[in-house]
Amino acid sequence: MSRGKTNNQLFENVTIFDIAEEGKGVGKADDFVLFVEKAVPGDVADVQVYRSKKNFGEAKIVALKQASEYRTEPFCEHFGTCGGCKWQHMTYRAQLTFKQKTVADALSRLAKIDVAGILPILPSPADRYYRNKLEFTFSNKRWLYDGESRDNEQLDMNALGFHIPGRFDKILDVNHCYLQADPSNDIRNRVDVFAKEHGISYYDLRAHTGALRNLIIRTSSTGELMVIVVFAYPAEDEVKKLMGFVEAEFPQITSLLYILNEKKNDTIFDQEVVAWKGPEYIHEEMNGIRFRIGPKSFYQTNSIQALHLYEIARDFAQFKGDELVYDLYTGAGTIANFIAGSVKEVVGVEYVPSAIEDAKINSAINNITNTKFYAGDMKDVLSADFVAEHGKPDVIITDPPRAGMHPDVVARLMEIEAEKIVYVSCNAATQARDLLVLKEKYDTVKIQPVDMFPHTQHVENVVLLVLKD
């Protein structure tokens, strides 16, 4: 069975029985746990360890002895090299099964919650071309495939694509991506060709030199299209040359923007946005409500499933029309504005000031007058004085980032004692950690997993908590 527990050692006939959060298959050799790349539960394989720890190792398949019934052929040529869509080699039905298991395991094991009544995971209606936003990176350090040599002077080292996992300075040159619908691939590929033909330099992620840095494409259900080109150190005429090309080649772009970012990180939240063509925003529409999406706005990247997610949150709350609702981590106020017509008032709180401005705009353009929004650190804003000023909420909706809620925020929820809490999470483990505390005063009544990101290990989960008698 085992020939050792060190790097490069072989483990024969390993049965993969589970899948880990990061998407690797899980097997065992004696008591040694193996996390195996591109392995699917049900596979039997010989695997070789490439990184060993005391009680576990990371491994790759050397020989697949028996293929799992869940295994399927990946549809993307970049599968296995690109860091996205790590579950393409597993049938979508199986993906849903293991995502449901991830949520159930986290809540039962970490929060000690009875998950017997967990609802079946809600599949994504589309498992390809479902994202409304993608960000690509320009780099002069392209990822090289087997057989390619850096010593080849004729080799084009420029790339426009995605980061290689674990290699911040290496970019995979993407030919076709199945995440975002047309014209996303066409825009990226033609910008890439134009830049190379005209000698516009690509960014060096180590030396911090070069003209072109990022390309961001946002689409919407309304048919509007935003393209943002991020430059670092362009020559005097290169911005005009490239932006003019994009405008001429893609007249369907409704918002064409650019940014000059000379910082050493890619964040654009503190950078000035220049409108080359059209306004600095596009619109998304959900259930008759329009949302203005700017270059820095947060909006759920799977528009169809976002609607379903918010419908679940609303339905879990069972509003009667007279409720005061706190919407924590409100972002651009999507949930707050979505539910505003079903309640008396919504008070939204968010850390990012620009997001709060978006939330206010989204209320204004929809003539929604029963929302209030406040910016600040949640643990500081959500104080006893804040509750005294705005009133004790009947329902709290919370949709925190992957890290979950700060312990001070959880403690504040315990003090407020709202009748209901609807907890939306993109990380079942941190959600379970928070629920373990909240269960002292709240019963878990409903659990609904939602698949927002097919072919990845990520899963959203909505939990309804009701205050105990």
Side-chain angles (χ1 to χ4, degrees):
M1 172 173 297
S2 163
R3 296 181 182 173
K5 298 177 181 178
T6 57
N7 289 353
N8 301 319
Q9 292 302 299
L10 185 71
F11 292 82
E12 298 177 336
N13 296 317
V14 174
T15 298
I16 306 301
F17 62 86
D18 202 353
I19 199 154
E21 185 179 347
E22 67 272 16
K24 295 179 180 178
V26 183
K28 270 189 178 182
D30 298 326
D31 293 327
F32 193 58
V33 178
L34 294 160
F35 296 97
V36 185
E37 289 183 354
K38 304 179 189 176
V40 175
D43 282 345
V44 179
D46 294 344
V47 305
Q48 188 173 42
V49 174
Y50 62 84
R51 185 178 293 114
S52 181
K53 302 293 183 181
K54 183 177 180 181
N55 297 316
F56 71 91
E58 297 177 66
K60 59 184 178 181
I61 295 176
V62 175
L64 183 61
K65 298 295 187 64
Q66 179 179 318
S68 166
E69 63 177 309
Y70 303 132
R71 183 173 280 276
T72 189
E73 190 67 26
F75 51 81
C76 179
E77 64 182 289
H78 303 300
F79 174 76
T81 305
C82 177
C85 304
K86 292 182 178 179
W87 282 10
Q88 266 189 39
H89 60 321
M90 187 161 48
T91 64
Y92 188 51
R93 183 183 297 273
Q95 293 177 32
L96 295 173
T97 297
F98 289 108
K99 290 186 182 190
Q100 176 108 5
K101 183 178 182 297
T102 295
V103 172
D105 287 351
L107 268 57
S108 60
R109 180 172 53 87
L110 301 177
K112 313 301 181 187
I113 289 173
D114 181 4
V115 295
I118 185 172
L119 296 167
I121 187 170
L122 185 68
S124 175
D127 70 344
R128 305 181 194 186
Y129 307 117
Y130 61 84
R131 288 184 64 101
N132 55 42
K133 178 185 177 184
L134 278 183
E135 180 170 342
F136 304 100
T137 299
F138 292 91
S139 174
N140 65 349
K141 297 290 190 300
R142 178 171 67 83
W143 176 258
L144 299 182
Y145 289 98
D146 292 342
E148 291 186 311
S149 172
R150 194 179 303 278
D151 297 331
N152 182 357
E153 295 182 357
Q154 304 302 314
L155 197 64
D156 183 3
M157 290 298 296
N158 287 328
L160 175 56
F162 299 122
H163 287 269
I164 295 292
R167 299 295 301 271
F168 84 94
D169 62 334
K170 292 292 187 293
I171 298 297
L172 173 68
D173 202 33
V174 175
N175 178 44
H176 186 95
C177 179
Y178 288 87
L179 286 173
Q180 190 176 38
D182 290 338
S184 178
N185 282 297
D186 197 23
I187 293 172
R188 184 195 62 254
N189 289 335
R190 288 164 72 179
V191 165
D192 189 31
V193 170
F194 180 85
K196 289 173 179 176
E197 287 180 346
H198 290 79
I200 304 177
S201 59
Y202 287 30
Y203 195 65
D204 188 310
L205 291 160
R206 288 188 178 274
H208 302 289
T209 57
L212 287 168
R213 189 161 188 168
N214 300 101
L215 175 68
I216 304 168
I217 302 174
R218 302 190 79 148
T219 56
S220 77
S221 61
T222 62
E224 296 175 58
L225 175 63
M226 175 183 289
V227 174
I228 310 159
V229 182
V230 183
F231 295 88
Y233 304 100
E236 187 173 344
D237 65 335
E238 287 179 335
V239 172
K240 183 177 181 180
K241 184 185 299 183
L242 183 63
M243 298 304 291
F245 167 78
V246 176
E247 179 183 12
E249 291 294 308
F250 299 98
Q252 67 269 49
I253 295 174
T254 54
S255 176
L256 180 57
L257 316 172
Y258 73 88
I259 295 170
L260 295 178
N261 178 17
E262 297 183 353
K263 299 188 288 92
K264 291 187 177 181
N265 62 66
D266 287 338
T267 58
I268 62 171
F269 293 102
D270 55 349
Q271 300 296 290
E272 180 185 0
V273 178
V274 181
W276 178 271
K277 170 197 169 184
E280 293 183 22
Y281 53 83
I282 57 176
H283 292 96
E284 186 59 80
E285 191 166 307
M286 184 186 295
N287 208 32
I289 302 171
R290 288 174 67 83
F291 295 96
R292 182 178 293 185
I293 311 297
K296 304 175 186 180
S297 299
F298 171 78
Y299 191 81
Q300 291 282 359
T301 53
N302 186 333
S303 299
I304 296 175
Q305 281 297 76
L307 170 59
H308 295 152
L309 186 73
Y310 298 159
E311 287 176 336
I312 291 165
R314 180 195 62 196
D315 294 346
F316 272 18
Q318 293 184 312
F319 296 123
K320 299 183 182 68
D322 59 351
E323 292 90 351
L324 169 62
V325 180
Y326 282 10
D327 180 27
L328 309 185
Y329 311 93
T330 190
T334 45
I335 292 180
N337 285 295
F338 183 81
I339 66 170
S342 303
V343 302
K344 180 181 179 181
E345 185 176 63
V346 188
V347 177
V349 183
E350 166 61 41
Y351 178 75
V352 181
S354 62
I356 287 297
E357 293 308 308
D358 288 338
K360 292 176 179 178
I361 289 171
N362 288 328
S363 287
I365 64 177
N366 290 283
N367 297 315
I368 295 172
T369 58
N370 62 334
T371 57
K372 296 177 180 177
F373 296 102
Y374 300 91
D377 193 319
M378 191 67 63
K379 63 181 174 58
D380 299 326
V381 174
L382 194 65
S383 63
D385 290 342
F386 184 89
V387 175
E389 178 182 352
H390 297 284
K392 176 182 175 179
D394 302 292
V395 179
I396 293 176
I397 298 177
T398 181
D399 185 5
R402 287 189 60 79
M405 294 187 287
H406 189 280
D408 290 352
V409 177
V410 178
R412 180 64 64 193
L413 298 191
M414 294 283 281
E415 294 173 5
I416 293 173
E417 294 186 341
E419 180 183 344
K420 298 174 186 176
I421 298 175
V422 180
Y423 192 151
V424 183
S425 173
C426 59
N427 186 336
T430 56
Q431 184 184 45
R433 179 202 65 203
D434 296 340
L435 294 179
L436 181 62
V437 179
L438 292 168
K439 67 181 291 187
E440 180 183 337
K441 289 190 175 182
Y442 286 88
D443 289 321
T444 300
V445 177
K446 289 184 180 180
I447 305 168
Q448 175 66 76
V450 179
D451 185 24
M452 300 283 286
F453 306 105
H455 310 300
T456 77
Q457 68 272 26
H458 301 296
V459 57
E460 296 273 336
N461 191 47
V462 188
V463 173
L464 170 62
L465 303 172
V466 175
L467 191 66
K468 294 179 180 180
D469 294 335

